[in-house]
């Protein structure tokens, strides 16, 4: 007979536990939602700036790898040319040796004493024997030369192979650094996309205002220096032709730095694009190396290497317009000193060549090229 007992009701304690658990879950969900609010414009800017800084570090390493790749490629090309020329020379030597051997074979293999006994003209034979002896000496010299060429050729081939290996490693580094830069820039763009259009416009407007202030400060410094140069120089035109913000004509680098600085000024507003060095876009060291190249001065491509391009200047008070200025402990950023505490540089992705306060970045030291 079937049982018709009523199902057992949950106890009051069990209901209480379930209710508390559900409430805790709802509260935790609510807390989680509250703990992950939309980041503020200030927070996004700080994170984006950090990503851009990391991208620029990787960019300078990318530039270094590019420079190294170019040097290695030239070395490989030169070695391969040497190997090709050496092989041609070796082939010529072998051909000459083969001709000598053929001549000896055609002269016959008869014993020299018997040839002298049978000769109808002993004097003629002795002359020929002397010539053959000379041929033998030349043959020995040719063999020695061939052996030397073979050793040199083997060494050049080994060097070329090693350089090719270095070139392959450098290309791997190049690809890795390029991917790193692209990843950092992509992450920065995602953060910027999390802002509203209004917030992004506000950030750009703020940057534009700061750049305009920096430009005005640099212009004031240039005007002051120009007046001072005119007053102190009298009719000395050479003095007025030196750096607008550097009235110290005794500095040997002032004229050269002035030309490079003027070149950098001519590309104000050009966009920052990592890995480029003008004339339509620049990264930080691309701008400085390009500008000095316009003044017929060759300096290294990367910011770290450019620190050795001239005399070091530690104090900001000793800086002159046109000096290179370096920032961050690893020296991954460089620009031109523009006077009055301002820098002319290519800042980072999303910006253009512009003026900026030297205090916006951790200054390390300057370098006067000349």
């Amino acid at each position: 007979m079937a049982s018709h007992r009523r199902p057992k009701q949950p106890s009051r304690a069990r209901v209480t536990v379930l209710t508390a658990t559900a409430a805790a879950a709802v509260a935790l969900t609510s807390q989680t939602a509250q703990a992950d609010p939309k980041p503020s414009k200030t927070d996004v800017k700080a994170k984006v700036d950090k990503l851009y800084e990391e991208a620029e570090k990787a960019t300078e390493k990318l530039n270094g790898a590019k420079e190294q790749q170019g040097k290695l490629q030239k070395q490989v090309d030169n070695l391969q040319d040497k190997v090709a020329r050496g092989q041609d020379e070796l082939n010529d030597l072998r051909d000459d040796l083969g001709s000598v051997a053929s001549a000896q074979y055609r002269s016959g293999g008869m014993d020299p004493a018997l040839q002298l006994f049978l000769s109808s003209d002993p004097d003629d034979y002795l002359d020929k024997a002397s010539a053959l002896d000379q041929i033998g000496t030349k043959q020995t010299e040719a063999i020695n030369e061939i052996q030397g060429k073979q050793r040199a050729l083997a060494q050049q081939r080994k060097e070329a192979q090693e350089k090719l290996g270095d070139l392959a490693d450098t290309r791997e580094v190049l690809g890795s650094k390029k991917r790193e830069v692209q990843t950092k820039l992509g992450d920065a763009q995602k953060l910027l996309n999390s802002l509203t259009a209004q917030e992004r416009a506000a950030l750009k407007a703020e940057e534009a205002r700061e750049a305009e202030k920096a430009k005005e400060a640099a212009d004031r410094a240039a005007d002051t220096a120009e007046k001072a140069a005119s007053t102190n120089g009298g009719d000395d035109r050479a003095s007025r032709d030196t750096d607008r913000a550097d009235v110290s004509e005794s500095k040997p680098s002032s004229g050269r730095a002035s030309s490079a600085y003027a070149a950098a000024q001519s590309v104000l507003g050009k966009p920052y694009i990592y890995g480029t060095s003008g004339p339509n876009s620049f990264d930080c060291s691309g701008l400085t190396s390009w500008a000095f190249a316009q003044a017929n001065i060759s300096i290294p491509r990367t910011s770290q290497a450019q620190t050795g391009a001239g005399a070091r200047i530690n104090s900001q008070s000793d800086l002159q317009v046109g000096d290179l200025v370096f920032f961050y402990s690893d020296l991954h950023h460089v620009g031109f000193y523009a006077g009055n505490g301002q820098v002319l540089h290519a800042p980072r992705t999303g910006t253009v060549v512009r003026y900026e306060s030297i205090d916006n970045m951790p200054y390390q030291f300057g370098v006067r090229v000349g």
Side-chain angles (χ1 to χ4, degrees):
M1 183 175 179
S3 174
H4 297 285
R5 287 181 300 177
R6 295 172 61 187
K8 186 177 179 181
Q9 298 295 320
S11 67
R12 180 174 298 177
R14 178 177 170 80
V15 171
T16 302
V17 169
L18 291 173
T19 303
T21 301
V26 171
L28 182 61
T29 302
S30 175
Q31 289 172 3
T32 301
Q34 292 175 2
D36 190 23
K38 182 178 181 296
S40 69
K41 181 182 71 172
T42 303
D43 291 338
V44 168
K45 184 179 185 306
K47 290 178 181 178
V48 166
D49 287 346
K50 183 64 177 175
L51 284 168
Y52 280 145
E53 181 186 339
E54 291 171 356
E56 190 174 33
K57 287 182 184 179
T59 294
E60 286 304 291
K61 291 178 180 177
L62 172 69
N63 292 335
K66 279 184 179 178
E67 191 172 36
Q68 180 66 8
Q69 178 184 243
K71 290 178 180 177
L72 285 170
Q73 188 64 63
K74 286 181 181 178
Q75 291 172 0
V76 167
D77 292 342
N78 289 336
L79 282 168
Q80 288 177 336
D81 286 343
K82 285 182 180 179
V83 167
R85 289 196 302 270
Q87 186 64 58
D88 289 341
E89 291 172 1
L90 184 59
N91 291 339
D92 291 341
L93 287 171
R94 284 173 172 164
D95 290 343
D96 292 343
L97 185 60
S99 298
V100 171
S102 297
Q104 287 181 331
Y105 177 78
R106 287 193 298 271
S107 70
M110 187 178 293
D111 181 79
L114 183 59
Q115 289 186 35
L116 178 59
F117 178 76
L118 295 175
S119 176
S120 60
D121 189 349
D123 290 337
D124 180 59
Y125 172 80
L126 290 172
D127 289 340
K128 290 180 179 179
S130 177
L132 286 172
D133 183 59
Q134 291 177 9
I135 290 174
T137 301
K138 289 182 179 179
Q139 182 179 12
T140 302
E141 292 174 353
I143 290 172
N144 290 335
E145 188 174 359
I146 286 173
Q147 289 175 334
K149 283 288 182 185
Q150 285 176 325
R151 287 191 294 270
L153 200 56
Q155 180 61 30
Q156 288 169 352
R157 282 179 174 147
K158 181 181 177 183
E159 290 178 17
Q161 196 61 39
E162 290 173 351
K163 292 296 181 185
L164 283 170
D166 292 342
L167 188 58
D169 292 342
T170 301
R171 283 173 176 159
E172 284 188 15
V173 172
L174 204 61
S176 173
K177 289 304 170 187
K178 188 173 183 178
R179 288 191 294 273
E180 183 179 350
V181 173
Q182 290 172 335
T183 297
K184 299 293 184 185
L185 295 181
D187 291 343
Q189 190 58 54
K190 287 178 184 177
L191 280 171
L192 287 173
N193 290 342
S194 70
L195 297 176
T196 65
Q198 186 176 2
E199 287 172 328
R200 289 196 296 272
L203 282 178
K204 285 189 176 181
E206 183 180 338
E207 287 186 354
R209 284 194 297 272
E210 290 179 358
E212 184 59 30
K213 286 181 183 177
K215 181 180 182 301
E216 290 172 356
D219 287 344
R220 286 195 300 273
D223 290 341
T224 300
E226 191 172 25
K227 290 176 183 177
S230 177
T231 301
N232 296 333
D235 293 330
D236 186 357
R237 294 184 180 181
S239 175
R240 291 197 295 272
D241 288 339
T242 59
D243 196 337
R244 292 175 65 200
D246 177 15
V247 298
S248 179
E249 188 183 8
S250 63
K251 298 294 183 184
S253 64
S254 61
R256 306 172 88 188
S258 176
S259 297
Y261 180 70
Q265 286 180 306
S266 73
V267 292
L268 279 165
K270 296 288 185 180
Y272 177 106
I273 297 179
Y274 76 90
T276 60
S277 54
N280 297 316
S281 62
F282 303 86
D283 59 26
C284 70
S285 58
L287 172 65
T288 50
S289 59
W290 175 86
F292 271 103
Q294 307 318 297
N296 296 316
I297 303 169
S298 177
I299 66 172
R301 173 62 175 86
T302 65
S303 59
Q304 291 90 343
Q306 287 176 13
T307 60
R312 182 172 295 199
I313 303 156
N314 292 316
S315 174
Q316 287 188 31
S317 62
D318 294 331
L319 290 173
Q320 297 174 348
V321 170
D323 288 339
L324 294 175
V325 280
F326 297 87
F327 302 89
Y328 302 97
S329 59
D330 63 353
L331 308 172
H332 71 261
H333 190 75
V334 62
F336 282 102
Y337 186 62
N340 202 19
Q342 307 303 312
V343 178
L344 173 59
H345 67 152
R348 56 171 174 77
T349 297
T351 64
V352 297
V353 176
R354 69 187 188 192
Y355 294 101
E356 191 168 346
S357 170
I358 197 171
D359 296 326
N360 287 356
M361 299 165 287
Y363 170 81
Q364 301 301 307
F365 54 84
V367 164
R368 184 163 297 145
V369 179

